[in-house]
Amino acid sequence: MEHIRLPKVESVRLLDRVSPRRSRVGTLYLTATHTIFVENEAGVRNETWVLHSLVCSVEKQGASASGCPLVIHCKNFQVLHFVLPRERECHDVQLSLQRLSQPESYEELYCFSYKPNVDEEERRQEWDFLGLKADYSRMGLPNSLWKLSPVNRHYKVSDTYPADLFVPESATPPVIVGSSKFRSRGRFPTLSYYSKENHAAICRSSQPLSGFSARCLEDEQMLEAILRSNPRSDFMYVVDTRPKLNAIANRAAGKGYENEDNYSNIKFQFLGIENIHVMRNSQQKMLEVCELRSPSMSDFLEGLESSGWLKHIKAVLDAGIFIAKAVAEEGVSVLVHCSDGWDRTAQVCSVACVLLDPYYRTLRGLMVLIEKDWISFGHKFSHRCNHLVGDPKEVSPIIDQFLECVWQLMEQFPCAFEFNERFLITIHSHIYSCQYGNFIGNNQRERIELGLRERTHSLWSYLWTNQADYINPLYRPDHSQTQGLLRPSTAPYCFKFWRGLYNRFDRGMHPRQSVEDYLSAIQEETQQLEEQLASHKQKIAQLEQEQGWRSVTQKAVGFDKSPTAWARGNDLSLANTPQDYTGGFLTSSPCQPKTPDSSLILLPKDLNQTSESNLSNGSDQESGIADLSCRSPLSEDSTRDADSDEAAYSAA
Amino acid sequence: MEFAELIKTPRVDGVVLHRPFMPTVEGTLCLTGHHLILSSRQDNTEELWLLHSNIDSIEKRFVGSLGTIIVKCKDLRVIQLDIPGMEECLNIASSIEALSTLDSVSLMYPFFYRPMFEVIEDGWNSFLPEDAFKDLESMTDEWRLSDVNKDFSVCPSYPPLVAVPKDIDDDTLRKAATFRHSGRFPVLSYYHKKNGMVMMRSGQPLTGTNGRRCKEDEKLINATLRPGKRGYIIDTRTINVAQQAKARGGGFESEANYPQWRRIHKALERSNVLQESLIKLVEACNDQSHSMDRWLSKLEASSWQTHVKEILTTACLAAQCIDREGASVLVHGTEGTDSTLQVTSLAQIILDPACRTIRGFQGLVEREWLQAGHPFQQRCAQSAYSNSKPRQESPVFLLFLDCVWQILRQFPCSFEFSESFLVLLFEHAYASQFGTFLGNSTAERTRLSLPEKTVSLWSWVNRPQELERLTNPLYEANSLVIWPSVAPQSLLLWEGVFLRWNRSSRCLDEAYEEMVHIIEYNKELQNKVNSLRRQLAQLETEDPLLQTP
C-alpha cells in the first residue's frame, strides 16, 4: 500500500492506561486495513487489532530516553498508548496512520474491501432483511388518512429525503412542492410515526424559511392537512427542538420558526436542545474526563458536570417524552423540526418512538427505527462520524446521544427491552467502523449512487444472525414493562454515566461478574433441560408401553450441570487483579503476583485470546470468521510466531 | 408507665398520612411509649408503625387550624401527617419530640420488646470470641486467646477475650495498652490462611511530642512478623494529622523504633466531616430541582463518593499488602474505633470468602464492629435530618455498608446475601427493636445486661424465612480474593438507600423478581429432570431383559 511508510516496528511497548507500569512488549504492524500489535511473550499470542477507519487521532508525544510515545484515539473510545523505540519510526507510523485513517474518497472505505466468506446471493439477501415498507404497513399505512407519495421518487423535491414518503391524504403535489420551497433543503413536513390506536402522528421537517415575516400558503395548508389526518384532534403541536435564542437568530438568515398566528390551530413549543457544535465539545470534554489517569472522585464529578453531557442527554430525553406523551396521552399529532431536521429531529423522533411503541424496543425494531429515522431521513452519517477526511465542524456525536438515551431507558426499565447493552455498543462501533455499508454516505441518494447495496454487506443481518449475543435475559414480551408507553423519570439522579461505552476498553473498571451473562447461561441451560425433560418423558412412556419385552436400546443420558453453561457467567477467571491502590510506593509491582498465584485461575490460552480480542476493536471479533478472510495470512494459523508473518504483512 | 407523662395527646382522629409511593391514608393516630401508629381501621390499607427512635427530626406547619407535621426518619424516609386542630398538633409534635430523644438507653424499645417469633438460635451466643478463636486454632498455633481484659480494665472498649501472639504474656499486653490510645493495644483482626499473614488493629501510639517509646509495644507487634520479613503500618490519617496528634499526646510509630515496619498514611475522614457529608448528600438527593448541573455539583460537594472511594482504596491496599506482598499489616487511626474498623472489615470482605456469606458477614459485624468497640450508640444517635448540634454522630458504619454494596455490585455472584441485608443492617443500626446495636462496647452491653434483657438481631435474622429473603439468588461460592475497582467510574451512588424514598423502584423490583423467576424455573426443571431420570433408570432395571446378566 502506498500509504504505509513502515509496515513493521519491533520492540514496541503498549502501555496500560490504568497502571502505565504494566506494559506489554511486541511488534507493531501496519496493514492496509488494520494496525496490529502482536505481543511477543513466550507461549502466548496476544493481538490487538485496530481498524484504520476507527482511528480518530494519532498523536506523537515528546520523545524521551525510553522511546517515543504515540497515542491513538479511536472513535469507539479505545485509547492506545504505544511507545516506539525511535522517533523516526514513530514519525513514519504517525504519518501513515493519519493518511490511512482519513480516506479521501468513499472508494477507500473498508466496507468496499471487506469480503467475508459469503456468496453473492446471500450478500444480496442481507440487504432484503430489513425494509421500511414493512414497518409502515405495521403502523397500518397507507390508509384513508396517510398515503405514500411519489413526489420525491427521483430526489427532486428534497435530495436529502428518501424516495418513499408518507404524507396526509389531502396533501396534493402542489402543496407538497410549495411547502418544500418554504423549508430548509426542501425538507417538507412528512410522516415519521403513526399511532394506529388514536391516529396521532409524529411528523418531521426542517425549519421554515419564515425570516421575520415571510409566509407560505402551501406550507400552512400542509400543516392543516397533517392536522386533518388526525380526525379526533382539533390542534397539533409544532415543536422546535432548538433553544429559542438559536431559532430567533436563524430568522436573520431568512429561516426561523412558525408564527402561531399564521398557522391555524397549532401550539408552538421550543425544546432547547443544543446544536451539533455544543454536543461535539461536550463529548470531547467528557472523554477527557474518562481518560484522566487515576482521577479523584471530585475530578470525575466536576469534569462530568462541566462537560454538560448528561444535561444534553436529559434534554433529548425530555424532548422525546414531550412528544411521546402528546401522541399517547393527548392523542395530538406533533410536527418536529430543528434547523435542517436531520440531527435533533432524528434524535427526538426516534426517542419518542422508543417510548411509544414496544416494537422499537425489540432487536429488530431498533434496527428498523435507526433505518427509518436516521438512515432514510438523511442523518449525515459520513459527515457526523467523519468517515472521510472533511470539515471537522461537521463532526458530532448525535447518534451516540440517541443510543445513550436508549441505554438510560434500559437502566430504568430493565425488562422492557429485548436487546442488551452489548447490542447498542456493537451498533455504535459499526456506525464508525465503515465495515458495513449501512451508514456510509449522508443520505439515500448518495447511498444509491455509491451502489452500497450492490457492493457491501449489511450490519443488520449480521446482528440478526448473532442475536443470541444481544438478547436481554430479563425481557419477556408479555411483561408489564414491555407494554405501551414508557414513563421514565427525568430527575437528574436517574441519569448515569455510561461506563460501558465511554470506558469500554478499561476492562478493570467494569463489574467482574455479569448478572446478565449469568442469567443468559442459565436460560440456555434451562432450554437444554426442557429438551431433556421432553425426551425423558417420551422414553418413560415408551418403556411403560413396552413393559417387559423389547430391550431398551437407549440409555438415559446422564444430566450433569453443564460446566460450560456456567463458565460464561463467571468472568472472574479473567484474572481479577488488584488495581494500583498504592499511589506507587510498594516496592514490587502491585499488579503482578511474583509467583503463580493459587487464587487465580491460570488462563488457558484460548481464553486469554478471547479477552484480548475484546480489547481490540469490536469489528474484528464480532465479525468472526468472515472478517478473517481479508487478512488470511494470520487467520489461517494464528499460532504461528510473529516472525513468519512478516512476509505476509509487507506483501499486503 | 413512665412514658405516660410525655404523651400529651395519645390519640387523634381524622389524621391524614402521606408516604412516599403509597396512597394517602386517613385514620386515627395513636402514640404509645415507643411507637407512632396510624391506622385507618380498614383491612385493605397498611398501617404505619413507626418507632420513635427512628425519628430524626420533625417540622410543624400550620394552615389555619390544620396542622402538618413532617416526620423525617433516620432511615431517610420523610412522611407527612395532617392533623386537624392546632392544639392536638402541637401536643403530638412535642410528644414525638420528647419520645424520640430519650437519653436513657434502658428506656429504649429493645428492653420492652417481646419477640413474636420462635427463636431458633440465640444470637447473643452466636459469635463469641472463643468460638472465632477455635477457627483460628485450626489454622495456626501462633496465637493465643488472652483474658487480660476480663474486667474491661485494660481497655474499656475491647471485649474480655482478645487474640494476641502466643509468645506475648499478659504483662506485656498491659504495658503496651498504656502506650496506645484508650488502651487499645494491637490485637489480631484477621489471619490470612493462604500465607499466614495477619492484620492487626489498635489505637494510635502515645508517643507525644518527645517521642516516647514502649519496648513492650514494639515487642508485641514484632512478634507477628516472620524472621526477616517487614510489615506495613497503615495509618488512616495523613502525615500532617498524625504529626498534629503528637501535641495531644498521640502520634505514630517512628522508623527508628519500628525499623521492621513501613508506615503508610492515608487520608480517611473523621466523624464530624462524615456526618456533614451525609447531611449534604441526603439534601442533594431530596432536591426537587430538575437541573443536572445542580445535582452533579451538589453530589460532588457532599464528598460522600470521595469517602467511599478513599475507604475502599485503603482497604484494598491493606488486602494487597497481605495477599500480594506477603506482609503483615497493622491498621490504626486515632482511636482505632472508626476508620480503622472500616479498613480491617472491608479488607476481610476482599480476602476472605467466608465473610461474604450471610452468617460470615454477621460474624464480621460482630467481631470487627460490635466487639471491636465501635460506639454505635453515639455514632447512630442521629442521622441526616437532625437539627440538633452534632456530638458524636457519624455515618461510619453506613459508609462501610456502602463500600460493601460497591463490591457486591462489582461481584454480584460472590455474595450469599443481597442488597436488602445491607439495608436491613443500616436500618437496625439506627433504630431497632433488637438490642444488638445498643451501647458503645461490650463492657456497656454487659453492664446493661443486653443479652439477658433484649433480643439479638441475629436471633431474628437466622430463621429460614428471613434468611430466604436476604439470600442472593445469584450466589455461587467464590474462593478467590476479589479485587474491586476503585475508579470513580466504577463507584455508584447507593440508590437503595439514598434514593429509596425519592424514586419508585417498581421497575427494578420487577427485574429482580424476573431474575429470581429465571433461576427458580431452572432449579425446578433440574429437579424434574433428575426425578425422571431416576424413574427411567428404575424402569430400565425392571426390564427383564436388562436383569438377565
Side-chain angles (χ1 to χ4, degrees), chain A residues 284-303:
Chain A
Q284 197 46 49
K285 275 192 189 164
M286 179 187 60
L287 292 174
E288 281 163 20
V289 175
C290 298
E291 259 186 74
L292 288 175
R293 202 168 280 164
S294 50
S296 73
M297 190 52 86
S298 295
D299 293 338
F300 178 72
L301 289 174
E302 272 171 17

PDB file of all heavy atoms in Angstrom, chain A residues 284-303:
ATOM      1  N   GLN A 284     -16.334  15.794  23.848  1.00  0.00           N
ATOM      2  CA  GLN A 284     -14.881  15.862  23.923  1.00  0.00           C
ATOM      3  C   GLN A 284     -14.432  16.068  25.368  1.00  0.00           C
ATOM      4  O   GLN A 284     -13.537  15.403  25.868  1.00  0.00           O
ATOM      5  CB  GLN A 284     -14.384  17.010  23.026  1.00  0.00           C
ATOM      6  CG  GLN A 284     -12.916  16.928  22.705  1.00  0.00           C
ATOM      7  CD  GLN A 284     -12.500  15.518  22.282  1.00  0.00           C
ATOM      8  OE1 GLN A 284     -13.145  14.907  21.438  1.00  0.00           O
ATOM      9  NE2 GLN A 284     -11.445  14.981  22.901  1.00  0.00           N
ATOM     10  N   LYS A 285     -15.123  17.001  26.042  1.00  0.00           N
ATOM     11  CA  LYS A 285     -14.773  17.274  27.439  1.00  0.00           C
ATOM     12  C   LYS A 285     -15.014  16.047  28.305  1.00  0.00           C
ATOM     13  O   LYS A 285     -14.214  15.740  29.187  1.00  0.00           O
ATOM     14  CB  LYS A 285     -15.644  18.423  27.973  1.00  0.00           C
ATOM     15  CG  LYS A 285     -15.107  19.792  27.659  1.00  0.00           C
ATOM     16  CD  LYS A 285     -15.880  20.813  28.493  1.00  0.00           C
ATOM     17  CE  LYS A 285     -15.560  22.225  28.083  1.00  0.00           C
ATOM     18  NZ  LYS A 285     -16.576  23.166  28.624  1.00  0.00           N
ATOM     19  N   MET A 286     -16.126  15.379  28.049  1.00  0.00           N
ATOM     20  CA  MET A 286     -16.420  14.210  28.869  1.00  0.00           C
ATOM     21  C   MET A 286     -15.367  13.129  28.649  1.00  0.00           C
ATOM     22  O   MET A 286     -14.912  12.490  29.601  1.00  0.00           O
ATOM     23  CB  MET A 286     -17.806  13.661  28.541  1.00  0.00           C
ATOM     24  CG  MET A 286     -18.124  12.430  29.375  1.00  0.00           C
ATOM     25  SD  MET A 286     -19.638  11.613  28.902  1.00  0.00           S
ATOM     26  CE  MET A 286     -19.305  11.176  27.233  1.00  0.00           C
ATOM     27  N   LEU A 287     -14.955  12.955  27.382  1.00  0.00           N
ATOM     28  CA  LEU A 287     -13.960  11.918  27.105  1.00  0.00           C
ATOM     29  C   LEU A 287     -12.626  12.240  27.772  1.00  0.00           C
ATOM     30  O   LEU A 287     -11.909  11.346  28.210  1.00  0.00           O
ATOM     31  CB  LEU A 287     -13.782  11.752  25.592  1.00  0.00           C
ATOM     32  CG  LEU A 287     -14.989  11.160  24.876  1.00  0.00           C
ATOM     33  CD1 LEU A 287     -14.775  11.163  23.365  1.00  0.00           C
ATOM     34  CD2 LEU A 287     -15.298   9.751  25.365  1.00  0.00           C
ATOM     35  N   GLU A 288     -12.326  13.526  27.863  1.00  0.00           N
ATOM     36  CA  GLU A 288     -11.094  13.897  28.562  1.00  0.00           C
ATOM     37  C   GLU A 288     -11.164  13.464  30.022  1.00  0.00           C
ATOM     38  O   GLU A 288     -10.174  13.029  30.607  1.00  0.00           O
ATOM     39  CB  GLU A 288     -10.866  15.413  28.469  1.00  0.00           C
ATOM     40  CG  GLU A 288     -10.285  15.825  27.126  1.00  0.00           C
ATOM     41  CD  GLU A 288     -10.431  17.318  26.840  1.00  0.00           C
ATOM     42  OE1 GLU A 288     -10.627  18.087  27.808  1.00  0.00           O
ATOM     43  OE2 GLU A 288     -10.365  17.704  25.659  1.00  0.00           O
ATOM     44  N   VAL A 289     -12.362  13.604  30.596  1.00  0.00           N
ATOM     45  CA  VAL A 289     -12.542  13.176  31.986  1.00  0.00           C
ATOM     46  C   VAL A 289     -12.373  11.656  32.101  1.00  0.00           C
ATOM     47  O   VAL A 289     -11.709  11.159  33.005  1.00  0.00           O
ATOM     48  CB  VAL A 289     -13.931  13.594  32.502  1.00  0.00           C
ATOM     49  CG1 VAL A 289     -14.166  13.056  33.907  1.00  0.00           C
ATOM     50  CG2 VAL A 289     -14.062  15.101  32.487  1.00  0.00           C
ATOM     51  N   CYS A 290     -12.957  10.939  31.125  1.00  0.00           N
ATOM     52  CA  CYS A 290     -12.861   9.466  31.145  1.00  0.00           C
ATOM     53  C   CYS A 290     -11.420   9.011  31.050  1.00  0.00           C
ATOM     54  O   CYS A 290     -11.072   7.929  31.487  1.00  0.00           O
ATOM     55  CB  CYS A 290     -13.597   8.848  29.957  1.00  0.00           C
ATOM     56  SG  CYS A 290     -15.321   9.190  29.936  1.00  0.00           S
ATOM     57  N   GLU A 291     -10.617   9.832  30.418  1.00  0.00           N
ATOM     58  CA  GLU A 291      -9.248   9.421  30.154  1.00  0.00           C
ATOM     59  C   GLU A 291      -8.274   9.816  31.239  1.00  0.00           C
ATOM     60  O   GLU A 291      -7.106   9.446  31.189  1.00  0.00           O
ATOM     61  CB  GLU A 291      -8.788  10.086  28.851  1.00  0.00           C
ATOM     62  CG  GLU A 291      -8.818   9.176  27.676  1.00  0.00           C
ATOM     63  CD  GLU A 291      -8.208   9.877  26.493  1.00  0.00           C
ATOM     64  OE1 GLU A 291      -6.978  10.015  26.464  1.00  0.00           O
ATOM     65  OE2 GLU A 291      -8.979  10.322  25.621  1.00  0.00           O
ATOM     66  N   LEU A 292      -8.729  10.613  32.201  1.00  0.00           N
ATOM     67  CA  LEU A 292      -7.829  11.042  33.263  1.00  0.00           C
ATOM     68  C   LEU A 292      -7.178   9.828  33.898  1.00  0.00           C
ATOM     69  O   LEU A 292      -7.823   8.806  34.096  1.00  0.00           O
ATOM     70  CB  LEU A 292      -8.607  11.804  34.336  1.00  0.00           C
ATOM     71  CG  LEU A 292      -9.096  13.199  33.981  1.00  0.00           C
ATOM     72  CD1 LEU A 292      -9.950  13.743  35.110  1.00  0.00           C
ATOM     73  CD2 LEU A 292      -7.934  14.121  33.692  1.00  0.00           C
ATOM     74  N   ARG A 293      -5.924   9.974  34.211  1.00  0.00           N
ATOM     75  CA  ARG A 293      -5.229   8.867  34.846  1.00  0.00           C
ATOM     76  C   ARG A 293      -5.453   8.965  36.358  1.00  0.00           C
ATOM     77  O   ARG A 293      -5.183   9.986  36.953  1.00  0.00           O
ATOM     78  CB  ARG A 293      -3.738   8.947  34.514  1.00  0.00           C
ATOM     79  CG  ARG A 293      -3.047   7.606  34.658  1.00  0.00           C
ATOM     80  CD  ARG A 293      -1.673   7.653  34.039  1.00  0.00           C
ATOM     81  NE  ARG A 293      -1.705   7.518  32.580  1.00  0.00           N
ATOM     82  CZ  ARG A 293      -0.664   7.845  31.809  1.00  0.00           C
ATOM     83  NH1 ARG A 293       0.420   8.349  32.334  1.00  0.00           N
ATOM     84  NH2 ARG A 293      -0.755   7.669  30.510  1.00  0.00           N
ATOM     85  N   SER A 294      -5.974   7.940  36.953  1.00  0.00           N
ATOM     86  CA  SER A 294      -6.394   7.898  38.356  1.00  0.00           C
ATOM     87  C   SER A 294      -6.941   9.235  38.872  1.00  0.00           C
ATOM     88  O   SER A 294      -6.315   9.895  39.684  1.00  0.00           O
ATOM     89  CB  SER A 294      -5.295   7.361  39.266  1.00  0.00           C
ATOM     90  OG  SER A 294      -4.065   8.004  39.045  1.00  0.00           O
ATOM     91  N   PRO A 295      -8.099   9.607  38.380  1.00  0.00           N
ATOM     92  CA  PRO A 295      -8.736  10.836  38.842  1.00  0.00           C
ATOM     93  C   PRO A 295      -9.345  10.648  40.234  1.00  0.00           C
ATOM     94  O   PRO A 295      -9.678   9.531  40.611  1.00  0.00           O
ATOM     95  CB  PRO A 295      -9.866  11.037  37.823  1.00  0.00           C
ATOM     96  CG  PRO A 295     -10.202   9.671  37.369  1.00  0.00           C
ATOM     97  CD  PRO A 295      -8.937   8.870  37.427  1.00  0.00           C
ATOM     98  N   SER A 296      -9.461  11.730  40.959  1.00  0.00           N
ATOM     99  CA  SER A 296     -10.177  11.654  42.225  1.00  0.00           C
ATOM    100  C   SER A 296     -11.661  11.681  41.904  1.00  0.00           C
ATOM    101  O   SER A 296     -12.061  11.985  40.783  1.00  0.00           O
ATOM    102  CB  SER A 296      -9.812  12.836  43.113  1.00  0.00           C
ATOM    103  OG  SER A 296     -10.413  14.006  42.603  1.00  0.00           O
ATOM    104  N   MET A 297     -12.464  11.375  42.906  1.00  0.00           N
ATOM    105  CA  MET A 297     -13.903  11.415  42.699  1.00  0.00           C
ATOM    106  C   MET A 297     -14.338  12.825  42.295  1.00  0.00           C
ATOM    107  O   MET A 297     -15.192  13.003  41.434  1.00  0.00           O
ATOM    108  CB  MET A 297     -14.590  10.967  43.990  1.00  0.00           C
ATOM    109  CG  MET A 297     -16.051  10.731  43.887  1.00  0.00           C
ATOM    110  SD  MET A 297     -16.590   9.627  42.572  1.00  0.00           S
ATOM    111  CE  MET A 297     -16.452   8.032  43.321  1.00  0.00           C
ATOM    112  N   SER A 298     -13.736  13.824  42.905  1.00  0.00           N
ATOM    113  CA  SER A 298     -14.098  15.210  42.577  1.00  0.00           C
ATOM    114  C   SER A 298     -13.704  15.571  41.148  1.00  0.00           C
ATOM    115  O   SER A 298     -14.474  16.210  40.436  1.00  0.00           O
ATOM    116  CB  SER A 298     -13.419  16.193  43.535  1.00  0.00           C
ATOM    117  OG  SER A 298     -13.895  15.994  44.824  1.00  0.00           O
ATOM    118  N   ASP A 299     -12.515  15.154  40.750  1.00  0.00           N
ATOM    119  CA  ASP A 299     -12.088  15.414  39.361  1.00  0.00           C
ATOM    120  C   ASP A 299     -13.145  14.878  38.410  1.00  0.00           C
ATOM    121  O   ASP A 299     -13.547  15.526  37.450  1.00  0.00           O
ATOM    122  CB  ASP A 299     -10.779  14.665  39.030  1.00  0.00           C
ATOM    123  CG  ASP A 299      -9.602  15.191  39.813  1.00  0.00           C
ATOM    124  OD1 ASP A 299      -9.683  16.349  40.270  1.00  0.00           O
ATOM    125  OD2 ASP A 299      -8.621  14.441  39.985  1.00  0.00           O
ATOM    126  N   PHE A 300     -13.576  13.664  38.717  1.00  0.00           N
ATOM    127  CA  PHE A 300     -14.513  12.997  37.816  1.00  0.00           C
ATOM    128  C   PHE A 300     -15.869  13.694  37.815  1.00  0.00           C
ATOM    129  O   PHE A 300     -16.408  14.032  36.758  1.00  0.00           O
ATOM    130  CB  PHE A 300     -14.654  11.527  38.211  1.00  0.00           C
ATOM    131  CG  PHE A 300     -15.647  10.791  37.364  1.00  0.00           C
ATOM    132  CD1 PHE A 300     -15.359  10.469  36.052  1.00  0.00           C
ATOM    133  CD2 PHE A 300     -16.884  10.436  37.878  1.00  0.00           C
ATOM    134  CE1 PHE A 300     -16.272   9.803  35.265  1.00  0.00           C
ATOM    135  CE2 PHE A 300     -17.812   9.773  37.102  1.00  0.00           C
ATOM    136  CZ  PHE A 300     -17.507   9.459  35.785  1.00  0.00           C
ATOM    137  N   LEU A 301     -16.416  13.922  38.988  1.00  0.00           N
ATOM    138  CA  LEU A 301     -17.765  14.502  39.048  1.00  0.00           C
ATOM    139  C   LEU A 301     -17.782  15.947  38.544  1.00  0.00           C
ATOM    140  O   LEU A 301     -18.686  16.351  37.828  1.00  0.00           O
ATOM    141  CB  LEU A 301     -18.311  14.432  40.476  1.00  0.00           C
ATOM    142  CG  LEU A 301     -18.694  13.032  40.976  1.00  0.00           C
ATOM    143  CD1 LEU A 301     -19.088  13.065  42.443  1.00  0.00           C
ATOM    144  CD2 LEU A 301     -19.823  12.439  40.138  1.00  0.00           C
ATOM    145  N   GLU A 302     -16.761  16.698  38.898  1.00  0.00           N
ATOM    146  CA  GLU A 302     -16.686  18.081  38.405  1.00  0.00           C
ATOM    147  C   GLU A 302     -16.549  18.091  36.887  1.00  0.00           C
ATOM    148  O   GLU A 302     -17.194  18.868  36.191  1.00  0.00           O
ATOM    149  CB  GLU A 302     -15.485  18.815  39.011  1.00  0.00           C
ATOM    150  CG  GLU A 302     -15.792  19.472  40.330  1.00  0.00           C
ATOM    151  CD  GLU A 302     -14.522  19.991  41.001  1.00  0.00           C
ATOM    152  OE1 GLU A 302     -13.469  20.127  40.322  1.00  0.00           O
ATOM    153  OE2 GLU A 302     -14.595  20.247  42.214  1.00  0.00           O
ATOM    154  N   GLY A 303     -15.678  17.203  36.398  1.00  0.00           N
ATOM    155  CA  GLY A 303     -15.471  17.119  34.949  1.00  0.00           C
ATOM    156  C   GLY A 303     -16.743  16.717  34.231  1.00  0.00           C
ATOM    157  O   GLY A 303     -17.100  17.276  33.192  1.00  0.00           O
TER     158      GLY A 303
END
